[in-house]
Amino acid sequence: MTDKTIPDIIYTKVDEAPELASASLLPIIRSFAQAAGISIGTRDISLAGRIISAFPEYLSEDQRISDDLAELGELVKTPQANVIKLPNISASVPQLVAAVKELQAQGYNLPDYPETPNTEEEKKVRARYDAIKGSAVNPVLREGNSDRRAATAVKKFAQSNPHRMGKWTADSQTEVSSMSGGDFFSNEKSVTLTDAAKAKILLISEAGNETVLKDGLSYPAGTVVDATFMSARALSEFLDAEIARTKEKGTLFSLHMKATMMKVSDPIIFGHAVKAWLKPVFEKHADELAAMGVNPNSGLGDLLARAKGDAEIMAEIEAVTASRPPMYMVNSDKGITNLHVPSDVIIDASMPALIRAGGKGWGPDGQEHDTNCVIPDNSYAPVYDEAIRFFKANGALDPATAGTVQNIGLMAQKAEEYGSHPTTFEIPHDGTVRMVLEDGTVIHEHKVEAGDIWRSASARKAPIEDWVQLAIDRQAATGYRAIFWLDANRAHDAELIAYVTPILEAKGVADRFEIMAPREATRASLETITKGENTIAITGNVLRDYLTDLFPILELATSAKMLSIVKLMNGGGLFETGAGGSAPKHVQALMEENHLRWDSLGEFCALGESFRFLADTRDNPKARLLGAAIDAATQGYLDNDRSPQRKPGQPDNRDSHYWFARYWAEALAAQSEDADLAAHFAPIAQALAEKEGEILAELHADRGKPVDLGGYYHGDAAKTAAVMRPSATLNAIIG
């Protein structure tokens, strides 16, 4: 159980590499904070923790844990909130199932995940699990809008030590392919509600029978409410055509989705791609595959595991695959393809990495090739398409001279939660979907066919107005070029523009902002940073997610080092630490070779901001000194190149934490504003310096050997601590 008093700062317990790093870093943070009378607590928002808390009646008393996510969801609505949020798993179904199996093996009597629930009990269990999968954490905690940017020290370091970029050429065959119609973009409708309203979503069959898809929806006045759908027929035709066209062009076929955040819609689209890839097999063996429990939404890997005992089906899969274009690979050495697992290729990480590499993706031959990047929906595909066109014409971005793109993102109160919102449905039969207000007014209506994916999302008035004000404040603080990424020809964006323009005019700042569709804004931003100048991208929620990976990966080589501040609408602060896209590979390397490459720089940046926020809100001068010392420590960390290195045997995450602690202690010992703090940290700084050789030797004693963490999703705390805190000397100094 975690402590239930509200500490000064809450540090979230998460998953994978960030959580392993916490086992090493958090004791250092707690020790330093305690010297200033500041308490650091934890709350468990990990995938395993969320699963355990959801099924208390299945577990013994000592196994039960509280619902920390729900508690944090209430805390972030208060001025007292000061939360450091590390990246957590947004689970796909295969990840969720794997976590459940691991917990069951550890003695947790959890129910299986019902793939096809039949009984009422199975339906209830499925509903509980469905509330856990996908981006279940972020909408709960993000009670404010997003301010994401590269910390000054990080940006300066990236310019002085530019990362390697792939070479772009004008004759590159890499491209983005999207649907020309029948997608979410083309079918979108949007309206702003004048009054507060309740609503329901109905499916009316062609015979006139009515099914309630969702009831009890409630919207305050001024809410922007959207509805749209993707045609399953148009999607299938598009995928068939792109597979054939990719084969003809001789490039790699790749699908780029967000099957974690878009936990309802994108796994279905992913499943359509799996079916399209193996279309002859599905047509011939539909009954056999169904009997095996094959769900194409779970990916090719799951299908192959279920079908491996059927020689005929496996032979036909091999034959069909041989007739297809080569596929973009997650791991060519292990034969893991783009279509193996829906959570393996996440668009906001995969597309920037491909663009950074000069448009190249890894093929099944272990070599890099030009790629057809298939992004079915046209809502945001133009961003990646325009970036590729820009770099073909102008060559790769130079990180040494490039300016920066900051982001102000609309996300508070579940704004624009497309796909992960509980108003997304796979339509069971032909008919008409209507969104109907309590007074009978139909605000949205779509004629749909069986298999279509219909969805609705909303953005409330208060978060929209807060978002615009945040953009005004950020532009005033920087003087940078500021662009609202909104398309006047898109239904939802047109409603937002109707909010944005009057606010800018009323504030007298309309001349400081531009409004552009995402394609044009992409080109304008790339032109700006290529000249070494800076710009602010002011975007909705999904583009916030995409752009705060795209530009940092081009500028800094990673999005994990971004400063991410969420100014909570009721006065609290949420400080996010960056992305976790490559975390699974880091965990694998630790378990196999005792090397953790995860860089905690994002945690350092968030921690500094959290202490400064604490100083401002609680009038705590010691917290301000801790934050200022973190800035100095981060600068020393970067200047002396103390980041984790790539290869086993080289310095890793644990080494970097030693250096961070040392630089932090030295900065606190050297400051002159608080004699007590200086006196406390002077001997710590001295001991860390004098014992450098001893500490580093202890940190490296067992490198290169496999380690036992006691689990992947739910590791053993003692085993993990032994691996992540192997230096008795360092532990004794920190205390």
Side-chain angles (χ1 to χ4, degrees), residues 44-60:
D44 189 347
I45 61 170
S46 67
L47 175 58
R50 285 180 280 138
I51 291 171
I52 294 169
S53 69
F55 295 95
E57 74 272 27
Y58 287 79
L59 306 176
S60 62

Side-chain angles (χ1 to χ4, degrees), residues 706-730:
V707 299
D708 177 17
L709 301 172
Y712 182 92
Y713 295 98
H714 190 244
D716 179 271
K719 291 180 178 179
T720 301
V723 171
M724 294 306 301
R725 303 189 72 202
S727 171
T729 304
L730 175 60

Side-chain angles (χ1 to χ4, degrees), residues 500-571:
V500 170
T501 303
I503 295 174
L504 296 180
E505 290 174 350
K507 298 283 186 178
V509 295
D511 59 334
R512 301 181 192 173
F513 293 86
E514 302 166 80
I515 298 176
M516 297 183 186
R519 180 182 294 278
E520 288 69 32
T522 301
R523 178 162 289 271
S525 299
L526 289 171
E527 289 172 346
T528 299
I529 64 173
T530 297
K531 292 187 291 186
E533 299 172 0
N534 306 317
T535 182
I536 305 169
I538 310 157
T539 71
N541 196 357
V542 180
L543 263 182
R544 169 205 59 80
D545 201 43
Y546 291 2
L547 298 190
T548 53
D549 278 303
L550 174 61
F551 289 111
I553 286 172
L554 296 178
E555 295 177 33
L556 314 173
T558 176
S559 58
K561 300 176 182 179
M562 288 288 283
L563 187 60
S564 183
I565 301 169
V566 182
K567 185 179 179 182
L568 298 172
M569 292 176 62
N570 289 328

